[in-house]
Amino acid sequence: MKLEIRPITEAQLHSADEVWLSSSTKEVLAVTRLDGKPVGTGKPGPVFQRMHALYQDYKAKLGAARVAAD
């Protein structure tokens, strides 16, 4: 997936089809409401679904590599 890091305006955030967050404790988290209004359809979108699946696959491979190293 292509990554672009850049500032965005509040208007761009509010008009986004999808918004999601990533952190070490939450992994990848879809934002479905922003300021009380739905983001996109109000449900996690296809880009989130893909990123979440990629992250879970990464974790599984990392865990398998750790088991193999033991």
Side-chain angles (χ1 to χ4, degrees):
M1 296 182 79
K2 182 181 174 186
L3 171 66
E4 182 179 337
I5 300 174
R6 64 179 171 83
I8 62 168
T9 66
E10 189 172 337
Q12 289 171 314
L13 178 63
H14 283 278
S15 67
D17 294 330
E18 293 187 40
V19 175
W20 37 276
L21 306 171
S22 178
S23 74
S24 58
T25 57
K26 297 292 184 184
E27 298 180 0
V28 183
L29 179 68
V31 176
T32 57
R33 296 190 73 75
L34 184 62
D35 292 336
K37 297 178 183 173
V39 173
T41 65
K43 297 179 182 178
V47 177
F48 166 78
Q49 299 290 346
R50 177 75 175 128
M51 184 56 69
H52 185 265
L54 288 168
Y55 192 88
Q56 297 309 310
D57 184 56
Y58 169 77
K59 284 189 348 182
K61 287 178 182 174
L62 184 63
R66 285 184 179 157
V67 169
D70 288 341

Short mmCIF file of all heavy atoms in Angstrom, two decimals:
data_model
loop_
_atom_site.label_atom_id
_atom_site.label_comp_id
_atom_site.label_asym_id
_atom_site.label_seq_id
_atom_site.Cartn_x
_atom_site.Cartn_y
_atom_site.Cartn_z
N MET A 1 0.85 -1.17 0.00
CA MET A 1 0.00 0.00 0.00
C MET A 1 0.89 1.23 0.00
O MET A 1 1.91 1.28 0.69
CB MET A 1 -0.91 0.01 1.22
CG MET A 1 -1.90 -1.14 1.25
SD MET A 1 -3.00 -1.09 2.67
CE MET A 1 -4.14 0.12 2.11
N LYS A 2 0.49 2.22 -0.75
CA LYS A 2 1.24 3.47 -0.82
C LYS A 2 1.03 4.27 0.47
O LYS A 2 -0.07 4.33 1.00
CB LYS A 2 0.76 4.29 -2.02
CG LYS A 2 1.52 5.56 -2.20
CD LYS A 2 1.01 6.36 -3.38
CE LYS A 2 1.70 7.69 -3.44
NZ LYS A 2 1.15 8.55 -4.49
N LEU A 3 2.09 4.86 0.95
CA LEU A 3 2.05 5.68 2.15
C LEU A 3 2.40 7.10 1.79
O LEU A 3 3.37 7.35 1.07
CB LEU A 3 3.05 5.15 3.18
CG LEU A 3 3.28 6.03 4.41
CD1 LEU A 3 2.04 6.12 5.26
CD2 LEU A 3 4.46 5.51 5.19
N GLU A 4 1.62 8.02 2.29
CA GLU A 4 1.91 9.44 2.10
C GLU A 4 1.74 10.12 3.45
O GLU A 4 0.68 10.04 4.06
CB GLU A 4 0.96 10.05 1.08
CG GLU A 4 1.22 11.51 0.80
CD GLU A 4 0.29 12.10 -0.23
OE1 GLU A 4 -0.28 11.35 -1.04
OE2 GLU A 4 0.11 13.32 -0.22
N ILE A 5 2.78 10.78 3.90
CA ILE A 5 2.72 11.51 5.17
C ILE A 5 2.72 12.99 4.84
O ILE A 5 3.64 13.50 4.20
CB ILE A 5 3.92 11.15 6.07
CG1 ILE A 5 3.90 9.66 6.38
CG2 ILE A 5 3.89 11.99 7.34
CD1 ILE A 5 5.11 9.18 7.14
N ARG A 6 1.64 13.66 5.27
CA ARG A 6 1.52 15.10 5.01
C ARG A 6 0.46 15.68 5.93
O ARG A 6 -0.42 14.96 6.41
CB ARG A 6 1.14 15.36 3.56
CG ARG A 6 -0.22 14.82 3.18
CD ARG A 6 -0.56 15.13 1.72
NE ARG A 6 -1.75 14.44 1.29
CZ ARG A 6 -3.00 14.85 1.50
NH1 ARG A 6 -3.23 15.97 2.16
NH2 ARG A 6 -4.02 14.16 1.06
N PRO A 7 0.54 16.96 6.19
CA PRO A 7 -0.52 17.59 6.98
C PRO A 7 -1.83 17.61 6.20
O PRO A 7 -1.82 17.66 4.96
CB PRO A 7 -0.02 19.02 7.20
CG PRO A 7 1.37 19.08 6.68
CD PRO A 7 1.60 17.89 5.82
N ILE A 8 -2.93 17.53 6.90
CA ILE A 8 -4.25 17.67 6.27
C ILE A 8 -5.05 18.71 7.04
O ILE A 8 -4.80 18.96 8.21
CB ILE A 8 -5.03 16.34 6.20
CG1 ILE A 8 -5.31 15.80 7.61
CG2 ILE A 8 -4.29 15.32 5.36
CD1 ILE A 8 -6.29 14.66 7.64
N THR A 9 -6.01 19.28 6.36
CA THR A 9 -6.86 20.28 7.01
C THR A 9 -8.00 19.57 7.74
O THR A 9 -8.31 18.41 7.48
CB THR A 9 -7.44 21.25 5.98
OG1 THR A 9 -8.34 20.52 5.13
CG2 THR A 9 -6.35 21.93 5.16
N GLU A 10 -8.64 20.30 8.62
CA GLU A 10 -9.81 19.76 9.31
C GLU A 10 -10.91 19.43 8.31
O GLU A 10 -11.60 18.42 8.45
CB GLU A 10 -10.30 20.75 10.36
CG GLU A 10 -11.37 20.17 11.26
CD GLU A 10 -11.73 21.08 12.42
OE1 GLU A 10 -10.91 21.95 12.79
OE2 GLU A 10 -12.84 20.92 12.94
N ALA A 11 -11.06 20.26 7.29
CA ALA A 11 -12.07 20.00 6.26
C ALA A 11 -11.78 18.70 5.52
O ALA A 11 -12.70 17.92 5.23
CB ALA A 11 -12.12 21.17 5.27
N GLN A 12 -10.51 18.44 5.22
CA GLN A 12 -10.15 17.18 4.56
C GLN A 12 -10.45 15.99 5.46
O GLN A 12 -10.94 14.96 4.99
CB GLN A 12 -8.67 17.18 4.16
CG GLN A 12 -8.34 18.11 3.03
CD GLN A 12 -6.85 18.23 2.82
OE1 GLN A 12 -6.08 18.40 3.77
NE2 GLN A 12 -6.43 18.14 1.57
N LEU A 13 -10.17 16.13 6.73
CA LEU A 13 -10.46 15.06 7.68
C LEU A 13 -11.95 14.76 7.71
O LEU A 13 -12.38 13.61 7.64
CB LEU A 13 -9.97 15.44 9.07
CG LEU A 13 -10.24 14.44 10.19
CD1 LEU A 13 -9.52 13.13 9.93
CD2 LEU A 13 -9.82 15.03 11.53
N HIS A 14 -12.77 15.80 7.77
CA HIS A 14 -14.22 15.62 7.85
C HIS A 14 -14.82 15.09 6.55
O HIS A 14 -15.91 14.52 6.57
CB HIS A 14 -14.90 16.93 8.27
CG HIS A 14 -14.76 17.20 9.73
ND1 HIS A 14 -15.59 16.64 10.67
CD2 HIS A 14 -13.88 17.97 10.41
CE1 HIS A 14 -15.23 17.04 11.87
NE2 HIS A 14 -14.19 17.85 11.74
N SER A 15 -14.13 15.26 5.43
CA SER A 15 -14.68 14.77 4.16
C SER A 15 -14.06 13.44 3.73
O SER A 15 -14.36 12.94 2.65
CB SER A 15 -14.48 15.82 3.06
OG SER A 15 -13.11 15.98 2.76
N ALA A 16 -13.23 12.84 4.59
CA ALA A 16 -12.55 11.59 4.25
C ALA A 16 -13.53 10.43 4.14
O ALA A 16 -14.52 10.37 4.88
CB ALA A 16 -11.49 11.28 5.30
N ASP A 17 -13.25 9.51 3.23
CA ASP A 17 -14.04 8.28 3.11
C ASP A 17 -13.75 7.35 4.28
O ASP A 17 -14.63 6.60 4.71
CB ASP A 17 -13.71 7.55 1.81
CG ASP A 17 -14.13 8.33 0.58
OD1 ASP A 17 -15.12 9.08 0.67
OD2 ASP A 17 -13.47 8.19 -0.46
N GLU A 18 -12.51 7.36 4.76
CA GLU A 18 -12.10 6.51 5.88
C GLU A 18 -11.12 7.27 6.75
O GLU A 18 -10.32 8.05 6.25
CB GLU A 18 -11.40 5.24 5.40
CG GLU A 18 -12.27 4.29 4.64
CD GLU A 18 -11.54 2.98 4.36
OE1 GLU A 18 -10.81 2.48 5.25
OE2 GLU A 18 -11.71 2.46 3.25
N VAL A 19 -11.20 7.01 8.04
CA VAL A 19 -10.22 7.53 9.00
C VAL A 19 -9.90 6.37 9.93
O VAL A 19 -10.79 5.66 10.38
CB VAL A 19 -10.79 8.71 9.82
CG1 VAL A 19 -9.81 9.15 10.90
CG2 VAL A 19 -11.15 9.89 8.91
N TRP A 20 -8.62 6.16 10.16
CA TRP A 20 -8.24 5.15 11.13
C TRP A 20 -6.95 5.55 11.81
O TRP A 20 -6.21 6.39 11.34
CB TRP A 20 -8.16 3.75 10.53
CG TRP A 20 -7.63 3.60 9.14
CD1 TRP A 20 -8.34 3.73 7.99
CD2 TRP A 20 -6.31 3.28 8.74
NE1 TRP A 20 -7.54 3.51 6.91
CE2 TRP A 20 -6.28 3.22 7.35
CE3 TRP A 20 -5.14 3.03 9.43
CZ2 TRP A 20 -5.13 2.93 6.63
CZ3 TRP A 20 -3.99 2.74 8.72
CH2 TRP A 20 -4.01 2.68 7.34
N LEU A 21 -6.73 4.93 12.96
CA LEU A 21 -5.57 5.22 13.79
C LEU A 21 -4.74 3.96 13.94
O LEU A 21 -5.27 2.86 13.84
CB LEU A 21 -6.01 5.68 15.18
CG LEU A 21 -6.98 6.85 15.24
CD1 LEU A 21 -7.49 7.04 16.66
CD2 LEU A 21 -6.31 8.11 14.75
N SER A 22 -3.47 4.14 14.20
CA SER A 22 -2.60 3.01 14.45
C SER A 22 -1.73 3.32 15.66
O SER A 22 -1.23 4.44 15.79
CB SER A 22 -1.73 2.74 13.22
OG SER A 22 -0.84 1.69 13.47
N SER A 23 -1.58 2.33 16.52
CA SER A 23 -0.70 2.48 17.67
C SER A 23 -0.28 1.09 18.13
O SER A 23 -0.85 0.09 17.72
CB SER A 23 -1.40 3.22 18.83
OG SER A 23 -2.34 2.39 19.45
N SER A 24 0.71 1.04 18.99
CA SER A 24 1.19 -0.26 19.47
C SER A 24 0.16 -0.96 20.35
O SER A 24 0.13 -2.18 20.40
CB SER A 24 2.51 -0.10 20.22
OG SER A 24 2.36 0.78 21.31
N THR A 25 -0.70 -0.21 21.02
CA THR A 25 -1.69 -0.85 21.89
C THR A 25 -3.03 -1.11 21.20
O THR A 25 -3.72 -2.07 21.53
CB THR A 25 -1.96 0.01 23.15
OG1 THR A 25 -2.38 1.31 22.74
CG2 THR A 25 -0.72 0.11 24.00
N LYS A 26 -3.39 -0.31 20.23
CA LYS A 26 -4.67 -0.47 19.53
C LYS A 26 -4.52 -1.12 18.16
O LYS A 26 -5.51 -1.39 17.49
CB LYS A 26 -5.38 0.88 19.36
CG LYS A 26 -5.75 1.55 20.65
CD LYS A 26 -6.83 0.79 21.36
CE LYS A 26 -7.25 1.55 22.62
NZ LYS A 26 -8.23 0.81 23.38
N GLU A 27 -3.27 -1.34 17.75
CA GLU A 27 -2.98 -1.90 16.42
C GLU A 27 -3.53 -0.97 15.35
O GLU A 27 -3.00 0.10 15.15
CB GLU A 27 -3.51 -3.32 16.30
CG GLU A 27 -2.85 -4.27 17.29
CD GLU A 27 -3.35 -5.68 17.20
OE1 GLU A 27 -4.24 -5.98 16.38
OE2 GLU A 27 -2.84 -6.51 17.97
N VAL A 28 -4.60 -1.36 14.66
CA VAL A 28 -5.24 -0.50 13.66
C VAL A 28 -6.70 -0.37 14.07
O VAL A 28 -7.39 -1.37 14.26
CB VAL A 28 -5.13 -1.10 12.24
CG1 VAL A 28 -5.73 -0.16 11.22
CG2 VAL A 28 -3.68 -1.40 11.89
N LEU A 29 -7.17 0.85 14.22
CA LEU A 29 -8.51 1.10 14.73
C LEU A 29 -9.26 2.02 13.78
O LEU A 29 -8.79 3.12 13.47
CB LEU A 29 -8.40 1.76 16.11
CG LEU A 29 -9.68 2.14 16.82
CD1 LEU A 29 -10.45 0.88 17.23
CD2 LEU A 29 -9.37 2.97 18.05
N ALA A 30 -10.42 1.56 13.30
CA ALA A 30 -11.24 2.39 12.41
C ALA A 30 -11.96 3.45 13.22
O ALA A 30 -12.50 3.18 14.30
CB ALA A 30 -12.25 1.52 11.68
N VAL A 31 -11.98 4.67 12.70
CA VAL A 31 -12.76 5.75 13.29
C VAL A 31 -14.04 5.84 12.46
O VAL A 31 -13.99 6.14 11.27
CB VAL A 31 -11.98 7.09 13.24
CG1 VAL A 31 -12.84 8.23 13.76
CG2 VAL A 31 -10.68 6.98 14.00
N THR A 32 -15.18 5.52 13.06
CA THR A 32 -16.44 5.50 12.31
C THR A 32 -17.30 6.73 12.56
O THR A 32 -18.24 6.97 11.83
CB THR A 32 -17.25 4.23 12.66
OG1 THR A 32 -17.48 4.19 14.07
CG2 THR A 32 -16.50 2.98 12.22
N ARG A 33 -16.98 7.49 13.62
CA ARG A 33 -17.69 8.74 13.90
C ARG A 33 -16.68 9.79 14.29
O ARG A 33 -15.73 9.52 15.01
CB ARG A 33 -18.71 8.55 15.02
CG ARG A 33 -19.82 7.57 14.62
CD ARG A 33 -20.97 7.54 15.60
NE ARG A 33 -21.83 8.71 15.57
CZ ARG A 33 -22.73 8.99 14.64
NH1 ARG A 33 -22.87 8.20 13.62
NH2 ARG A 33 -23.48 10.06 14.72
N LEU A 34 -16.91 11.00 13.81
CA LEU A 34 -16.02 12.12 14.10
C LEU A 34 -16.89 13.33 14.40
O LEU A 34 -17.73 13.71 13.58
CB LEU A 34 -15.11 12.39 12.89
CG LEU A 34 -14.05 13.46 13.03
CD1 LEU A 34 -13.06 13.09 14.13
CD2 LEU A 34 -13.32 13.64 11.72
N ASP A 35 -16.75 13.87 15.59
CA ASP A 35 -17.58 14.99 16.04
C ASP A 35 -19.07 14.65 15.92
O ASP A 35 -19.88 15.48 15.52
CB ASP A 35 -17.26 16.26 15.26
CG ASP A 35 -15.87 16.80 15.56
OD1 ASP A 35 -15.33 16.50 16.65
OD2 ASP A 35 -15.31 17.52 14.72
N GLY A 36 -19.41 13.40 16.24
CA GLY A 36 -20.80 12.97 16.25
C GLY A 36 -21.38 12.64 14.89
O GLY A 36 -22.55 12.27 14.78
N LYS A 37 -20.59 12.74 13.84
CA LYS A 37 -21.07 12.46 12.48
C LYS A 37 -20.34 11.25 11.93
O LYS A 37 -19.16 11.03 12.24
CB LYS A 37 -20.83 13.66 11.58
CG LYS A 37 -21.60 14.89 12.02
CD LYS A 37 -21.30 16.06 11.13
CE LYS A 37 -22.05 17.30 11.66
NZ LYS A 37 -21.67 18.49 10.95
N PRO A 38 -21.00 10.45 11.09
CA PRO A 38 -20.33 9.27 10.55
C PRO A 38 -19.19 9.64 9.60
O PRO A 38 -19.26 10.62 8.88
CB PRO A 38 -21.43 8.53 9.80
CG PRO A 38 -22.51 9.53 9.56
CD PRO A 38 -22.38 10.58 10.63
N VAL A 39 -18.14 8.84 9.65
CA VAL A 39 -17.05 8.94 8.68
C VAL A 39 -17.40 8.00 7.55
O VAL A 39 -17.65 6.81 7.78
CB VAL A 39 -15.70 8.55 9.32
CG1 VAL A 39 -14.61 8.51 8.26
CG2 VAL A 39 -15.33 9.49 10.45
N GLY A 40 -17.47 8.50 6.34
CA GLY A 40 -17.85 7.67 5.19
C GLY A 40 -19.23 7.07 5.41
O GLY A 40 -20.19 7.79 5.69
N THR A 41 -19.29 5.75 5.38
CA THR A 41 -20.57 5.05 5.58
C THR A 41 -20.89 4.84 7.05
O THR A 41 -21.94 4.32 7.38
CB THR A 41 -20.54 3.67 4.89
OG1 THR A 41 -19.55 2.86 5.53
CG2 THR A 41 -20.27 3.79 3.40
N GLY A 42 -19.94 5.20 7.92
CA GLY A 42 -20.14 4.97 9.35
C GLY A 42 -19.69 3.58 9.78
O GLY A 42 -19.87 3.19 10.92
N LYS A 43 -19.08 2.84 8.85
CA LYS A 43 -18.57 1.50 9.14
C LYS A 43 -17.13 1.43 8.65
O LYS A 43 -16.74 2.16 7.74
CB LYS A 43 -19.40 0.44 8.42
CG LYS A 43 -20.83 0.39 8.87
CD LYS A 43 -21.61 -0.66 8.11
CE LYS A 43 -23.06 -0.63 8.58
NZ LYS A 43 -23.87 -1.59 7.84
N PRO A 44 -16.32 0.53 9.23
CA PRO A 44 -14.95 0.37 8.73
C PRO A 44 -14.95 0.08 7.23
O PRO A 44 -15.71 -0.76 6.75
CB PRO A 44 -14.40 -0.82 9.53
CG PRO A 44 -15.21 -0.79 10.81
CD PRO A 44 -16.58 -0.33 10.38
N GLY A 45 -14.11 0.79 6.49
CA GLY A 45 -14.09 0.68 5.03
C GLY A 45 -13.09 -0.34 4.51
O GLY A 45 -12.37 -0.98 5.27
N PRO A 46 -13.02 -0.47 3.19
CA PRO A 46 -12.16 -1.48 2.57
C PRO A 46 -10.66 -1.27 2.79
O PRO A 46 -9.91 -2.24 2.90
CB PRO A 46 -12.52 -1.42 1.09
CG PRO A 46 -13.15 -0.08 0.89
CD PRO A 46 -13.80 0.27 2.20
N VAL A 47 -10.21 -0.03 2.88
CA VAL A 47 -8.79 0.21 3.12
C VAL A 47 -8.44 -0.21 4.55
O VAL A 47 -7.42 -0.85 4.79
CB VAL A 47 -8.39 1.68 2.85
CG1 VAL A 47 -6.93 1.91 3.17
CG2 VAL A 47 -8.70 2.05 1.41
N PHE A 48 -9.32 0.11 5.50
CA PHE A 48 -9.11 -0.35 6.87
C PHE A 48 -9.10 -1.87 6.92
O PHE A 48 -8.23 -2.46 7.57
CB PHE A 48 -10.20 0.18 7.82
CG PHE A 48 -10.18 -0.55 9.14
CD1 PHE A 48 -9.23 -0.24 10.09
CD2 PHE A 48 -11.07 -1.58 9.39
CE1 PHE A 48 -9.18 -0.94 11.29
CE2 PHE A 48 -11.02 -2.28 10.58
CZ PHE A 48 -10.07 -1.97 11.53
N GLN A 49 -10.05 -2.50 6.26
CA GLN A 49 -10.12 -3.97 6.29
C GLN A 49 -8.82 -4.57 5.77
O GLN A 49 -8.28 -5.53 6.34
CB GLN A 49 -11.30 -4.47 5.45
CG GLN A 49 -12.66 -3.98 5.93
CD GLN A 49 -13.10 -4.60 7.25
OE1 GLN A 49 -12.54 -5.57 7.72
NE2 GLN A 49 -14.12 -4.01 7.85
N ARG A 50 -8.30 -4.01 4.70
CA ARG A 50 -7.05 -4.50 4.12
C ARG A 50 -5.88 -4.27 5.07
O ARG A 50 -5.05 -5.17 5.28
CB ARG A 50 -6.80 -3.80 2.77
CG ARG A 50 -5.52 -4.18 2.11
CD ARG A 50 -5.60 -5.55 1.47
NE ARG A 50 -4.37 -5.82 0.73
CZ ARG A 50 -3.64 -6.90 0.89
NH1 ARG A 50 -4.02 -7.86 1.69
NH2 ARG A 50 -2.53 -7.05 0.20
N MET A 51 -5.77 -3.07 5.64
CA MET A 51 -4.68 -2.77 6.54
C MET A 51 -4.75 -3.65 7.80
O MET A 51 -3.73 -4.15 8.28
CB MET A 51 -4.69 -1.29 6.92
CG MET A 51 -3.52 -0.87 7.78
SD MET A 51 -1.89 -1.24 7.08
CE MET A 51 -1.84 -0.11 5.72
N HIS A 52 -5.94 -3.85 8.31
CA HIS A 52 -6.11 -4.70 9.49
C HIS A 52 -5.66 -6.12 9.18
O HIS A 52 -4.95 -6.75 9.97
CB HIS A 52 -7.57 -4.66 9.95
CG HIS A 52 -7.80 -5.41 11.22
ND1 HIS A 52 -8.21 -6.72 11.24
CD2 HIS A 52 -7.65 -5.03 12.51
CE1 HIS A 52 -8.31 -7.12 12.49
NE2 HIS A 52 -7.98 -6.12 13.28
N ALA A 53 -6.05 -6.65 8.03
CA ALA A 53 -5.66 -8.00 7.62
C ALA A 53 -4.14 -8.10 7.46
O ALA A 53 -3.53 -9.08 7.89
CB ALA A 53 -6.36 -8.40 6.33
N LEU A 54 -3.52 -7.10 6.85
CA LEU A 54 -2.07 -7.09 6.69
C LEU A 54 -1.37 -7.07 8.05
O LEU A 54 -0.37 -7.77 8.26
CB LEU A 54 -1.62 -5.88 5.85
CG LEU A 54 -1.95 -5.95 4.37
CD1 LEU A 54 -1.72 -4.58 3.72
CD2 LEU A 54 -1.12 -7.02 3.68
N TYR A 55 -1.90 -6.30 8.98
CA TYR A 55 -1.29 -6.23 10.31
C TYR A 55 -1.41 -7.56 11.04
O TYR A 55 -0.47 -8.03 11.66
CB TYR A 55 -1.95 -5.10 11.13
CG TYR A 55 -1.20 -4.77 12.39
CD1 TYR A 55 -0.18 -3.83 12.37
CD2 TYR A 55 -1.48 -5.41 13.59
CE1 TYR A 55 0.54 -3.53 13.53
CE2 TYR A 55 -0.78 -5.12 14.74
CZ TYR A 55 0.23 -4.18 14.70
OH TYR A 55 0.94 -3.89 15.84
N GLN A 56 -2.58 -8.19 10.95
CA GLN A 56 -2.77 -9.49 11.60
C GLN A 56 -1.86 -10.54 10.99
O GLN A 56 -1.30 -11.39 11.70
CB GLN A 56 -4.24 -9.92 11.52
CG GLN A 56 -5.21 -9.00 12.24
CD GLN A 56 -4.81 -8.69 13.66
OE1 GLN A 56 -4.52 -9.59 14.46
NE2 GLN A 56 -4.78 -7.41 14.01
N ASP A 57 -1.68 -10.50 9.67
CA ASP A 57 -0.78 -11.43 8.99
C ASP A 57 0.66 -11.20 9.46
O ASP A 57 1.40 -12.15 9.72
CB ASP A 57 -0.90 -11.25 7.48
CG ASP A 57 -0.06 -12.24 6.71
OD1 ASP A 57 -0.25 -13.47 6.92
OD2 ASP A 57 0.78 -11.81 5.90
N TYR A 58 1.05 -9.95 9.58
CA TYR A 58 2.38 -9.61 10.07
C TYR A 58 2.61 -10.17 11.47
O TYR A 58 3.64 -10.77 11.76
CB TYR A 58 2.57 -8.09 10.05
CG TYR A 58 3.81 -7.63 10.78
CD1 TYR A 58 5.07 -7.76 10.19
CD2 TYR A 58 3.72 -7.07 12.05
CE1 TYR A 58 6.21 -7.35 10.86
CE2 TYR A 58 4.86 -6.66 12.72
CZ TYR A 58 6.09 -6.80 12.13
OH TYR A 58 7.21 -6.39 12.80
N LYS A 59 1.63 -9.98 12.36
CA LYS A 59 1.75 -10.49 13.72
C LYS A 59 1.88 -12.01 13.74
O LYS A 59 2.67 -12.56 14.49
CB LYS A 59 0.54 -10.08 14.56
CG LYS A 59 0.55 -8.66 14.99
CD LYS A 59 -0.53 -8.29 16.01
CE LYS A 59 -1.59 -9.29 16.24
NZ LYS A 59 -2.62 -8.88 17.18
N ALA A 60 1.10 -12.69 12.91
CA ALA A 60 1.15 -14.15 12.86
C ALA A 60 2.52 -14.62 12.38
O ALA A 60 3.09 -15.57 12.94
CB ALA A 60 0.05 -14.68 11.95
N LYS A 61 3.06 -13.98 11.36
CA LYS A 61 4.38 -14.36 10.85
C LYS A 61 5.47 -14.06 11.87
O LYS A 61 6.41 -14.84 12.04
CB LYS A 61 4.67 -13.64 9.54
CG LYS A 61 3.85 -14.18 8.39
CD LYS A 61 4.12 -13.42 7.12
CE LYS A 61 3.25 -13.97 5.99
NZ LYS A 61 3.36 -13.19 4.77
N LEU A 62 5.35 -12.95 12.57
CA LEU A 62 6.32 -12.59 13.60
C LEU A 62 6.28 -13.62 14.72
O LEU A 62 7.31 -14.07 15.20
CB LEU A 62 6.03 -11.19 14.13
CG LEU A 62 7.01 -10.62 15.15
CD1 LEU A 62 8.39 -10.46 14.53
CD2 LEU A 62 6.51 -9.27 15.64
N GLY A 63 5.08 -14.01 15.13
CA GLY A 63 4.94 -15.03 16.19
C GLY A 63 5.51 -16.36 15.76
O GLY A 63 6.18 -17.04 16.54
N ALA A 64 5.27 -16.75 14.51
CA ALA A 64 5.80 -18.02 14.01
C ALA A 64 7.33 -17.99 13.96
O ALA A 64 7.99 -18.97 14.27
CB ALA A 64 5.23 -18.32 12.63
N ALA A 65 7.89 -16.85 13.60
CA ALA A 65 9.34 -16.72 13.55
C ALA A 65 9.94 -16.83 14.95
O ALA A 65 11.01 -17.42 15.13
CB ALA A 65 9.74 -15.39 12.89
N ARG A 66 9.25 -16.28 15.93
CA ARG A 66 9.75 -16.36 17.30
C ARG A 66 9.71 -17.79 17.81
O ARG A 66 10.63 -18.24 18.48
CB ARG A 66 8.92 -15.46 18.22
CG ARG A 66 9.22 -14.01 18.06
CD ARG A 66 8.45 -13.17 19.04
NE ARG A 66 8.80 -11.77 18.85
CZ ARG A 66 8.04 -10.79 19.22
NH1 ARG A 66 6.87 -11.03 19.80
NH2 ARG A 66 8.39 -9.54 19.03
N VAL A 67 8.64 -18.52 17.50
CA VAL A 67 8.52 -19.93 17.92
C VAL A 67 9.63 -20.76 17.26
O VAL A 67 10.25 -21.60 17.90
CB VAL A 67 7.12 -20.49 17.58
CG1 VAL A 67 7.08 -21.99 17.76
CG2 VAL A 67 6.07 -19.81 18.45
N ALA A 68 9.87 -20.52 15.98
CA ALA A 68 10.90 -21.27 15.25
C ALA A 68 12.30 -20.99 15.81
O ALA A 68 13.17 -21.85 15.78
CB ALA A 68 10.85 -20.91 13.77
N ALA A 69 12.50 -19.78 16.35
CA ALA A 69 13.81 -19.40 16.88
C ALA A 69 14.08 -20.03 18.24
O ALA A 69 15.22 -20.14 18.66
CB ALA A 69 13.93 -17.89 16.96
N ASP A 70 13.02 -20.43 18.93
CA ASP A 70 13.18 -21.01 20.28
C ASP A 70 13.67 -22.42 20.27
O ASP A 70 13.72 -23.26 19.67
CB ASP A 70 11.87 -20.95 21.06
CG ASP A 70 11.54 -19.51 21.49
OD1 ASP A 70 12.47 -18.68 21.50
OD2 ASP A 70 10.38 -19.26 21.79
#
